[in-house]
């Protein structure tokens, strides 16, 4: 059973995908406020590409002028934050209206960057993974709020993030870092699934969709409906991959999909 997510404790999951109407969100943000923590809201509709992601974070979190507008700099500035509260308060960053990020090519990288920043802050570690005695340990978590998209639809793309593991729990998509390369992270085993969700590809490519659905259900511990959503998401990825390979003359094998 996957641990219930938190916005107030120093533990994973570091990133959560859920609905803005989720009662868990209201409960956790209220608990964070009671602890004098901060809840900051960013607009996911402004995050159309990496450059706009960097601009949105820099503006809304009041990053200092040295922010380099790249992924490594985003990790550093979230870890060593000097915005409201000067980085000494627990922090939840909510990315609202995040549905359109489903089609972004950078989602996996974006999620892994946020997870790394949260890992650093929660465990009071520096960029080299060493204990930073000078730092105050702060709870930092990120939540993607989806207006009309089921969180499970993001699972396949989020799982492409480097060193990322994902899980489904109570309809939410949870993201962590595996303990293989991130001490204090989560085991890269059930219920966490690490890496691209390619284990059912052979079933999908051969048109054995029922077997693929059962494989997703058993491996991810999800419902049949969630497994069907996963199958559709992975199938679309494989269709695009095949189409791109064909268009560039790199497709060597025909791909079979059941109608």
């Amino acid at each position: 059973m996957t641990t219930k997510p938190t916005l107030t404790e120093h533990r994973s999951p570091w990133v959560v995908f859920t609905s803005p109407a989720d009662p868990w969100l209201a409960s956790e943000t209220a608990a964070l406020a009671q602890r004098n923590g901060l809840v900051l809201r960013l607009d996911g509709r402004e995050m159309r590409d990496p450059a706009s992601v960097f601009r949105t974070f820099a503006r809304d979190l009041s990053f200092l002028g040295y922010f380099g507008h790249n992924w490594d700099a985003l990790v550093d500035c979230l870890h060593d934050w000097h915005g409201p509260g000067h980085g000494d308060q627990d922090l939840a960053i909510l990315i609202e209206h995040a549905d359109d990020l489903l089609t972004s090519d950078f989602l996996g990288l974006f999620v892994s960057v946020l997870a790394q920043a949260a890992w650093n802050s929660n465990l009071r570690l520096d960029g080299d993974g060493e204990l930073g005695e000078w730092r105050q340990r702060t709870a930092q978590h990120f939540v993607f709020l989806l207006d009309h998209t089921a969180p499970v639809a993001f699972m396949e793309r989020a799982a492409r993030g480097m060193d990322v593991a994902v899980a489904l729990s109570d309809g939410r998509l949870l993201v962590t870092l595996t303990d293989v390369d991130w001490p204090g992270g989560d085991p890269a085993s059930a219920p966490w699934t690490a890496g691209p969700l390619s284990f059912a590809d052979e079933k999908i490519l051969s048109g054995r969709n029922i077997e693929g659905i059962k494989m997703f259900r058993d491996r991810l511990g999800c419902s049949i409906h969630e497994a069907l959503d996963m199958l559709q998401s992975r199938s679309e990825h494989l269709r695009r991959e095949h189409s791109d390979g064909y268009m560039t003359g790199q497709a060597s094998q025909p791909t079979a999909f059941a109608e």
Side-chain angles (χ1 to χ4, degrees):
M1 181 67 68
T2 306
T3 303
K4 187 175 181 179
T6 178
L7 297 181
T8 60
E9 299 177 32
H10 302 287
R11 61 170 175 81
S12 73
W14 310 124
V15 181
V16 178
F17 290 77
T18 191
S19 162
D22 187 345
W24 165 83
L25 179 69
S27 174
E28 284 294 311
T29 52
L32 186 62
Q34 289 178 351
R35 295 162 56 99
N36 196 36
L38 294 173
V39 177
L40 300 182
R41 298 175 182 270
L42 282 62
D43 192 339
R45 294 170 298 188
E46 297 184 353
M47 302 180 188
R48 300 175 301 278
D49 50 37
S52 58
V53 170
F54 305 142
R55 286 196 301 270
T56 301
F57 271 82
R59 180 194 67 214
D60 293 353
L61 273 71
S62 303
F63 285 170
L64 298 181
Y66 60 72
F67 175 53
H69 289 260
N70 58 61
W71 295 114
D72 288 338
L74 182 58
V75 172
D76 291 342
C77 283
L78 287 170
H79 176 220
D80 188 23
W81 187 50
H82 295 281
H86 303 289
D88 293 332
Q89 291 173 268
D90 294 337
L91 174 66
I93 296 178
L94 312 185
I95 301 176
E96 301 179 307
H97 314 300
D99 302 74
D100 288 348
L101 285 167
L102 180 60
T103 60
S104 65
D105 293 332
F106 59 87
L107 179 65
L109 178 57
F110 186 19
V111 168
S112 65
V113 162
L114 297 182
Q116 181 181 342
W119 179 82
N120 287 339
S121 295
N122 279 275
L123 302 182
R124 200 175 64 186
L125 301 175
D126 62 23
D128 297 320
E130 302 294 334
L131 184 65
E133 296 291 346
W134 59 272
R135 284 190 50 80
Q136 170 153 340
R137 192 180 184 199
T138 58
Q140 184 181 100
H141 296 86
F142 300 88
V143 185
F144 287 79
L145 297 178
L146 309 174
D147 296 325
H148 50 78
T149 309
V152 66
F154 281 76
M155 189 171 191
E156 194 274 330
R157 284 182 175 267
R160 298 182 211 170
M162 185 176 63
D163 300 328
V164 158
V166 294
L168 291 170
S169 180
D170 298 324
R172 307 178 191 103
L173 173 59
L174 314 179
V175 181
T176 188
L177 295 171
T178 69
D179 62 357
V180 175
D181 296 303
W182 302 90
D186 294 277
S189 60
W192 297 103
T193 300
L197 304 183
S198 58
F199 52 81
D201 283 1
E202 187 270 333
K203 308 291 186 186
I204 298 171
L205 293 173
S206 61
R208 293 143 64 192
N209 288 343
I210 298 299
E211 294 179 37
I213 290 171
K214 291 179 178 178
M215 183 173 286
F216 280 122
R217 180 197 63 187
D218 295 342
R219 290 282 294 271
L220 303 178
C222 60
S223 70
I224 286 290
H225 294 296
E226 289 174 325
L228 177 59
D229 286 341
M230 271 306 313
L231 181 94
Q232 292 173 336
S233 176
R234 186 65 185 173
S235 294
E236 285 303 313
H237 168 67
L238 293 173
R239 285 181 191 273
R240 289 191 299 270
E241 191 175 66
H242 171 66
S243 176
D244 291 344
Y246 180 80
M247 292 299 291
T248 57
Q250 296 175 353
S252 59
Q253 295 285 339
T255 305
F257 288 94
E259 295 295 330

